[in-house]
C-alpha cells in the first residue's frame, strides 16, 4: 500500500523531467532548438519549465511488475508558441523595402494576360528529402528568397495553430481543413540548413504563389501543410 503512491510520485517526476528534456530539444527553425532560447534567457527558461509542469496527465498505469507508467501531453501551439515564436521573430531582420520598378518602355498593346490563380492553402510534398519538422519552417525559392516563413505570417495565427501542419500522406494533407478546399500542391526540391526543416521549391512554383496578391492572405493565416516521409 505504501509502495504504490511512492512509485506513482517517482514516475511523475521522471515523466516531467523527460518532457522538459524533449521540449528543450524541439526544433524551432533550421538553425535553432528551444534550448538555445532557454540558455539565452532565464525568463524563457522559467516559462518553459512552468509550461512543462502544467502538462496534461493523460494516463497512469500500474503494471504487473509493480512499476508505474505515466503519460503526459503538452501542445506546442498556444502558450508554448507564445513564449518561443515572438522571440524568434525578434531575431529576424526587417523585410527589405521593394525597389521602385523602372518605367516600362512604350510598346504596342498586348493581349490581356490570364489572371493568376488564387489558392486557399499550400501543400509542400517534401517526401524523399529527409526533411524534418520545426516550429518555424521556411519555404524558399532556388535563390534562397523566402516564399513563406515567419516574416510573412500573422503572429496570432502562428501562435494559436503553429506555422504549419505536418502529415505523412499527400492526400491527407490536401484534404486537411487547414488548407481548405483549393490548395496548391508543390514538390520540394531539397532542404536547406543544418536542421533540414527549410524546403526549397522551384522558381516557377515560387512565382506561382507570388502571382496573386490574394495568396498572401492564406500565407498570413499559416494555411500550410508539409508532407514528410
Amino acid at each position: 500500500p505504501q509502495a504504490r503512491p511512492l512509485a506513482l510520485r517517482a514516475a511523475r517526476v521522471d515523466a516531467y523531467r523527460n518532457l522538459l528534456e524533449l521540449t528543450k530539444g524541439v526544433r524551432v527553425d533550421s538553425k535553432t532548438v528551444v534550448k538555445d532560447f532557454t540558455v539565452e534567457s532565464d525568463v524563457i527558461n522559467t516559462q518553459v519549465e512552468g509550461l512543462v509542469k502544467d502538462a496534461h496527465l493523460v494516463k497512469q498505469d500500474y503494471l504487473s511488475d509493480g512499476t508505474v507508467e505515466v503519460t503526459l501531453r503538452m501542445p506546442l501551439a498556444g502558450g508554448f508558441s507564445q513564449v518561443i515564436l515572438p522571440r524568434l521573430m525578434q531575431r529576424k531582420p526587417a523585410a527589405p523595402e521593394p525597389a521602385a520598378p523602372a518605367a516600362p518602355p512604350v510598346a504596342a498593346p498586348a493581349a490581356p494576360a490570364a489572371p493568376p490563380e488564387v489558392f486557399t492553402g499550400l501543400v509542400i510534398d517534401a517526401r524523399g528529402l529527409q526533411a524534418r519538422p520545426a516550429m518555424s519552417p521556411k519555404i524558399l525559392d532556388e535563390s534562397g528568397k523566402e516564399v513563406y516563413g515567419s516574416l510573412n505570417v500573422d503572429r496570432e495565427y502562428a501562435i494559436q495553430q503553429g506555422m504549419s501542419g505536418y502529415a505523412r500522406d499527400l492526400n491527407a494533407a490536401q484534404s486537411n481543413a487547414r488548407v481548405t478546399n483549393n490548395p496548391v500542391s508543390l514538390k520540394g526540391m531539397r532542404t536547406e540548413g543544418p536542421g533540414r526543416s527549410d524546403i526549397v521549391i522551384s522558381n516557377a512554383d515560387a512565382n506561382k504563389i507570388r502571382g496573386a496578391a490574394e495568396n498572401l492572405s492564406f500565407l498570413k493565416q499559416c494555411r500550410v501543410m508539409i508532407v514528410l516521409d
Side-chain angles (χ1 to χ4, degrees):
Q2 288 110 350
R4 287 172 69 107
L6 291 174
L8 176 59
R9 185 183 308 167
R12 285 183 174 178
V13 170
D14 273 349
Y16 285 113
R17 182 169 57 242
N18 290 341
L19 180 57
L20 180 60
E21 183 179 347
L22 286 170
T23 300
K24 289 186 176 182
V26 168
R27 182 155 292 283
V28 180
D29 61 14
S30 193
K31 299 178 181 178
T32 313
V33 295
V34 171
K35 186 178 181 179
D36 297 328
F37 289 136
T38 63
V39 169
E40 286 180 2
S41 169
D42 290 338
V43 173
I44 290 182
N45 187 57
T46 300
Q47 290 174 321
V48 169
E49 289 180 353
L51 288 166
V52 168
K53 288 177 182 177
D54 290 337
H56 177 59
L57 178 62
V58 177
K59 64 178 180 177
Q60 54 190 38
D61 294 327
Y62 293 94
L63 306 182
S64 58
D65 62 356
T67 60
V68 180
E69 185 177 273
V70 168
T71 304
L72 302 173
R73 174 177 293 153
M74 187 188 79
L76 295 185
F80 186 74
S81 292
Q82 194 164 14
V83 171
I84 299 299
L85 288 183
R87 183 82 174 190
L88 178 70
M89 292 174 179
Q90 288 171 9
R91 285 183 165 188
K92 302 293 183 182
E97 292 292 328
V106 178
E117 190 171 359
V118 177
F119 305 105
T120 58
L122 172 63
V123 176
I124 299 293
D125 184 357
R127 293 174 297 176
L129 305 181
Q130 298 181 328
R132 297 174 184 170
M135 293 180 66
S136 180
K138 291 180 185 177
I139 308 301
L140 309 169
D141 64 18
E142 293 176 73
S143 60
K145 293 181 180 178
E146 191 170 301
V147 179
Y148 175 72
S150 59
L151 286 178
N152 55 4
V153 299
D154 184 284
R155 174 172 161 171
E156 291 306 312
Y157 280 100
I159 288 172
Q160 293 305 318
Q161 63 186 39
M163 289 276 297
S164 72
Y166 287 92
R168 299 285 185 182
D169 179 80
L170 181 59
N171 290 331
Q174 291 168 335
S175 59
N176 191 284
R178 186 183 189 113
V179 294
T180 62
N181 61 350
N182 186 36
V184 56
S185 297
L186 305 176
K187 180 65 180 173
M189 299 174 63
R190 63 180 185 273
T191 61
E192 288 285 344
R196 305 185 71 94
S197 59
D198 295 343
I199 301 169
V200 177
I201 60 176
S202 70
N203 288 337
D205 284 343
N207 291 335
K208 191 175 184 180
I209 296 298
R210 294 167 173 150
E214 291 87 344
N215 289 333
L216 298 179
S217 175
F218 79 72
L219 293 178
K220 285 184 178 295
Q221 296 174 17
C222 305
R223 295 185 178 275
V224 176
M225 291 290 297
I226 299 174
V227 185
L228 303 178
D229 293 307

